[in-house]
Amino acid sequence: MTASTGLLTIDLNAIVANWRYLRAYVATAEVCAVIKADAYGLGAEPVGRALYGAGCRRFFFATLPEAVDARRYLPADAHCYVLGVVPAGQESLLQVHALTPVLSSMADVRQWRVWRAKAAGAPQCVVKFDSGMTRMGLDESELDELAQTAGGFEALGVECVMSHLACADEPGHPMNEQQQQRFAHVCERLRVSHPRLQFSLANSSGIFLGERYHYDRVRPGAALYGYAPDPEQANPMRAVVSLTLPLLQLRKLSRRAHVGYGATRSLDEGRVLAVVAGGYADGLHRLLGPAGVAMCGGVKVPVVGRVSMDTTLFDVSEVPGIDQWLGKPLSEVPLSFVVLGPELGLSEITQRNGALGYEVLTSLGSGRYRRRYLEVGDD
Ligand SMILES: *Cc1c(COP(=O)(O)O)cnc(C)c1O
């Protein structure tokens, strides 16, 4: 192993398999794909292309620039949604690139109404209802007022009303039921007055709360990328990402010594320490906390001391036959460090260090890794 940066492998087959799994699971609802934040750090373009190839036609982005960029790689029949606020004056970009905004406040609604009255081609929008998360969305009275204004929804071109669950990954949480009921209540009334309107509530974990949560469209992100929708249950999603870090140096301690910045840990004489490429500048502090481990030579080896900016230290004393590699040129040492992969999944990592799987994935996106995509069909 002579490369000096880590290798991030992203299995597009697994992403497609996960999307198909969800499609079979929900049966009647349309399965969209949330590929915001560069597909959670994995690459919106390759992920978007692969999912489009599999039949996905609705894609969600967080920001306007993310969605504008998507038109480079997604064909015209792919619907692209902008979840975040579109700054006043930039609505024409929505029209030029055929993007659909998600209106999340009365200010958004007013801005959109004024702009749309002058726009050609009657672009559509989604309205977000706040069913209890209290982050973004119209409350029930605002939504009612809008729906009851004659031609209110038509003037805005509302094609879908959506909401977002706050606690879907805790299936027993009472919030889920509350939010579902509020949303159901709103749907019942709107369906009568607007029979063609579509509804959408569930993110990844919401899908697994039951059919009542599915409505017309579901919006998974994390599950596509292998994240367990219910942390208490066996994970039905296929693993998507693996990260392998190269060895920079092996050393055997000739005396008891403090290790790393802050001298937070010490190791006994005779222990073997590996200096590995990759540190917090590569997002690894989210992945490797004080209880972090890597798979090396068939065993789990622990992190020692603090993760540095560019390097991390592991105690490799327990790797079988480790002594034979001491003093050898790196090119002859066949050791690598898998910090995320089939034998060390996102769930185990998040249990070890308390970070969210979302944080782990998105933080890897900024890392100085070589990327390898396993293309669809390479299975
Ligand atoms: C991010 C996001 C999703 C996807 O959530 P996951 O938990 O990753 O499946 C769905 N809907 C909205 C509104 C979001 O912001």
Side-chain angles (χ1 to χ4, degrees):
M1 188 95 189
T2 50
S4 62
T5 64
L7 177 65
L8 192 63
T9 305
I10 295 144
D11 186 349
L12 297 173
N13 278 298
I15 295 178
V16 164
N18 288 337
W19 185 79
R20 292 200 170 118
Y21 176 87
L22 296 175
R23 200 176 50 174
Y25 188 90
V26 300
T28 56
E30 179 172 353
V31 181
C32 312
V34 180
I35 61 173
K36 64 189 177 189
D38 202 24
Y40 294 36
L42 303 184
E45 176 168 354
V47 170
R49 281 184 197 278
L51 287 173
Y52 182 88
C56 183
R57 290 294 179 270
R58 294 185 199 274
F59 297 86
F60 283 86
F61 301 87
T63 67
L64 183 58
E66 284 176 6
V68 167
D69 187 52
R71 278 290 169 230
R72 272 193 311 109
Y73 57 85
L74 289 177
D77 64 341
H79 301 271
C80 297
Y81 296 87
V82 183
L83 289 164
V85 172
V86 174
Q90 298 195 10
E91 296 90 344
S92 57
L93 283 174
L94 294 169
Q95 194 167 31
V96 170
H97 300 283
L99 309 172
T100 308
V102 176
L103 312 182
S104 314
S105 69
M106 286 311 282
D108 285 356
V109 166
R110 282 188 287 270
Q111 178 191 324
W112 176 251
R113 188 186 285 129
V114 170
W115 180 78
R116 191 174 187 267
K118 292 178 281 184
Q124 293 191 302
C125 73
V126 172
V127 167
K128 189 163 177 187
F129 166 58
D130 176 16
S131 58
M133 188 163 175
T134 324
R135 185 176 64 175
M136 288 168 104
L138 274 61
D139 64 28
E140 198 164 334
S141 59
E142 291 171 329
L143 194 62
D144 269 348
E145 195 187 313
L146 199 61
Q148 282 160 16
T149 310
F153 269 29
E154 290 69 22
L156 297 173
V158 184
E159 55 120 342
C160 177
V161 171
M162 64 175 257
S163 190
H164 193 44
L165 297 163
C167 309
D169 57 350
E170 298 174 59
H173 202 293
M175 268 297 272
N176 294 322
E177 195 64 23
Q178 272 177 30
Q179 289 193 269
Q180 198 281 336
Q181 281 172 15
R182 284 190 193 137
F183 194 64
H185 186 61
V186 159
C187 291
E188 254 167 53
R189 276 176 298 158
L190 289 179
R191 273 212 178 103
V192 175
S193 50
H194 302 81
R196 285 173 51 204
L197 201 57
Q198 299 278 291
F199 295 92
S200 174
L201 176 62
N203 65 331
S204 298
S205 299
I207 292 170
F208 294 84
L209 296 176
E211 213 182 317
R212 284 185 304 125
Y213 288 78
H214 294 170
Y215 293 93
D216 301 306
R217 299 174 187 165
V218 295
R219 309 183 310 270
L224 299 174
Y225 312 122
Y227 192 55
D230 178 352
E232 306 286 308
Q233 301 288 321
N235 187 0
M237 312 318 298
R238 262 177 66 177
V240 166
V241 200
S242 61
L243 176 59
T244 306
L245 305 176
L247 177 68
L248 297 178
Q249 205 184 94
L250 268 187
R251 55 195 300 170
K252 188 163 193 157
L253 300 186
S254 56
R255 58 185 167 76
R256 186 172 171 78
H258 293 301
V259 176
Y261 279 119
T264 54
R265 277 287 305 279
S266 46
L267 277 190
D268 286 337
E269 178 186 336
R271 301 300 288 180
V272 182
L273 202 59
V275 183
V276 166
Y280 59 75
D282 305 293
L284 284 180
H285 54 305
R286 287 284 174 220
L287 198 155
L288 298 168
V293 291
M295 294 297 303
C296 175
V299 297
K300 268 184 194 158
V301 297
V303 169
V304 192
R306 287 190 196 154
V307 173
S308 306
M309 185 185 290
D310 310 308
T311 57
T312 303
L313 303 171
F314 290 89
D315 180 349
V316 290
S317 313
E318 310 304 329
V319 173
I322 191 71
D323 280 355
Q324 66 184 301
W325 308 118
L326 289 164
K328 291 267 163 57
L330 275 184
S331 57
E332 291 172 22
V333 181
L335 295 176
S336 63
F337 295 76
V338 179
V339 292
L340 174 61
E343 290 170 76
L344 190 58
L346 272 178
S347 309
E348 174 170 351
I349 287 169
T350 55
Q351 272 159 25
R352 281 179 176 277
N353 66 14
L356 292 171
Y358 298 80
E359 293 178 293
V360 170
L361 287 180
T362 52
S363 59
L364 295 182
S366 60
R368 295 162 289 182
Y369 306 116
R370 291 169 294 135
R371 283 173 179 238
R372 182 170 60 126
Y373 287 94
L374 304 182
E375 296 296 332
V376 176
D378 284 355
D379 241 346

